Amino acid sequence: MDDALDFLAIGDITTDNFIKLKNAEVTCEVDHTNCKISMPFGEKVPFEDSVIIIAVGNASNASVSASRLGLKSGLVSWVGDDAIGKEDITTLKKEGVFTDFMEMQIDKKSNYHFVLLFGAERTILIKHENYNYILPKLPPVKWVYLSSFGENTLDLHQRIAKYLRLNPTVKLAFQPGTFQINLGVEKIKEIYSLSEIFFCNIEEAEKITGFSEDLGGRNEKAKKLVELIHAYGPKIVVLTDGPAGAYAYDGNEFFFTPMYPDPAPPIDRTGAGDSFASAIVSALVLGLPLSIALLWGPINSMSVVQYIGAREGLLTQEKIEKYLKERPEHYK
C-alpha cells in the first residue's frame, strides 16, 4: 500500500442467504412496534426463492460503499479457512477494497447467516463464529469506520482505542452493533469519546441512554437522544428514524434530513443503515460539509433497498450527485 487509506472499516463479515417466504403471518402492536413473524410449526413450509450474497455485514458493506464512492477503502475482518472465506476476500478485491488486513484463521468457519424476507422487511438468523480477534498492525489512515462484532471482543475495542490515541489524526466513525450496544457505554467509553461521528437508530439510542420518555413528539424525543449521546463524547451524532427521516447534532446545531423518495416500493431493507452511514462518512472524507453529507446518506439507502442484499444498490459519487441535482423541493 503506497498511500494512506481514506477509509478503513473494522468489523465482522458474513455471507447472507436470503430466503423469500411465501406463507407467513406478521402481528404487531397497535403502533406497529414489537412485530412478530410466524409460520406453521412441524410442517414443510414452501418458500419463493433463495439468493446468496457473499461478503456482507456492516463493516464490509461500508468498505464497498466507500470504494464505489471513489475512496481508497480497506477492511479489517476475520474469516475461516474455507471456501466461503476465500470467496469473501475475492469478492471484496473485485470491489476495489484493500484486503491485506483481513485474516483467514485455520480450523475456523466463516460467518454464514440466514435472512428471512417477507415483504420489505427481514428477520436475520445470526451466528458469529468465535475468532481470535487480534488487531493487525495498522498504518495511519484518514478515517476508521468501526461497526458490529460478535461477543468476546472487549479487548479488541481497547486495542482499537489505543491505536486511535497513538494516531490522533485518524478520525473515527462508530456504528455500533448489538454486542457493542449491549456492552453499555461505560465498558467502551473511550470508543464513544474518540468518535468523530456516531450512528444509530432511535430504538438503539433509547437502549444506549436508558431514556425512553415521551416528550410530546418524535422530534423532541430525537433531539433529547442526540444530546444525551453527544454528551458521551462523539462530536457528531446521527440518529435515524426509519421512513420518518434522520436527525443530527454537532454540539451547536440540530439537523433534520427527510428520506429520499423511493422510486418504487422497497424490496429489502438489509444494509440500508450501512449504506446511509457510509455515504455520510465518505462525503466528510471528501471534504463536504455536514449539511451536504447528510443528504448523501438517504440517497444511497434509497437505492440499496431497491435490491436484495446490501451491496448491489450501492451508488457511485456521480449517481448520488445526479440524484441531488434532481431532488424534490422538500429534500433539503
Side-chain angles (χ1 to χ4, degrees), residues 91-103:
T91 299
L92 290 170
K93 285 181 176 178
K94 287 179 180 177
E95 288 284 357
V97 175
F98 186 81
T99 60
D100 284 17
F101 296 130
M102 293 183 65
E103 182 183 355

Side-chain angles (χ1 to χ4, degrees), residues 202 205-206 211 213-228 239-249 253-259:
I202 199 164
E206 289 176 338
F211 183 87
E213 295 177 29
D214 184 0
L215 298 178
R218 300 289 279 189
N219 286 358
E220 291 75 14
K221 188 173 189 176
K223 285 183 176 181
K224 179 65 175 179
L225 288 169
V226 294
E227 285 181 324
L228 289 172
L239 182 65
T240 58
D241 193 14
Y247 303 84
Y249 180 56
E253 187 176 357
F254 287 99
F255 300 83
F256 172 76
T257 309
M259 290 296 100

Side-chain angles (χ1 to χ4, degrees), residues 167-204:
N167 296 276
T169 62
V170 179
K171 294 183 177 180
L172 173 66
F174 184 31
Q175 181 206 13
T178 302
F179 170 71
Q180 291 150 322
I181 291 170
N182 289 342
L183 269 178
V185 175
E186 185 61 29
K187 289 185 178 179
I188 52 172
K189 60 184 179 182
E190 268 200 294
I191 297 294
Y192 280 86
S193 65
L194 290 166
S195 295
E196 181 76 17
I197 189 166
F198 176 94
F199 298 90
C200 71
N201 63 40
I202 199 164
E203 291 78 19
E204 291 168 339

Side-chain angles (χ1 to χ4, degrees), residues 13-87:
I13 187 171
T14 186
T15 290
D16 280 346
N17 187 342
F18 288 82
I19 302 171
K20 193 171 184 181
L21 302 175
K22 288 178 67 174
N23 302 322
E25 183 177 318
V26 176
T27 55
C28 303
E29 302 287 347
V30 175
D31 59 355
H32 300 289
T33 60
N34 297 319
C35 296
K36 309 289 184 184
I37 188 168
S38 60
M39 291 169 283
F41 181 68
E43 299 181 18
K44 292 182 179 179
V45 180
F47 64 93
E48 283 189 27
D49 198 10
S50 172
V51 178
I52 297 174
I53 310 290
I54 301 291
V56 288
N58 300 125
S60 179
N61 298 339
S63 69
V64 173
S65 176
S67 179
R68 289 200 189 176
L69 288 168
L71 302 183
K72 182 173 279 191
S73 174
L75 177 66
V76 175
S77 195
W78 299 262
V79 296
D81 63 336
D82 51 17
I84 294 172
K86 292 173 184 175
E87 197 166 358

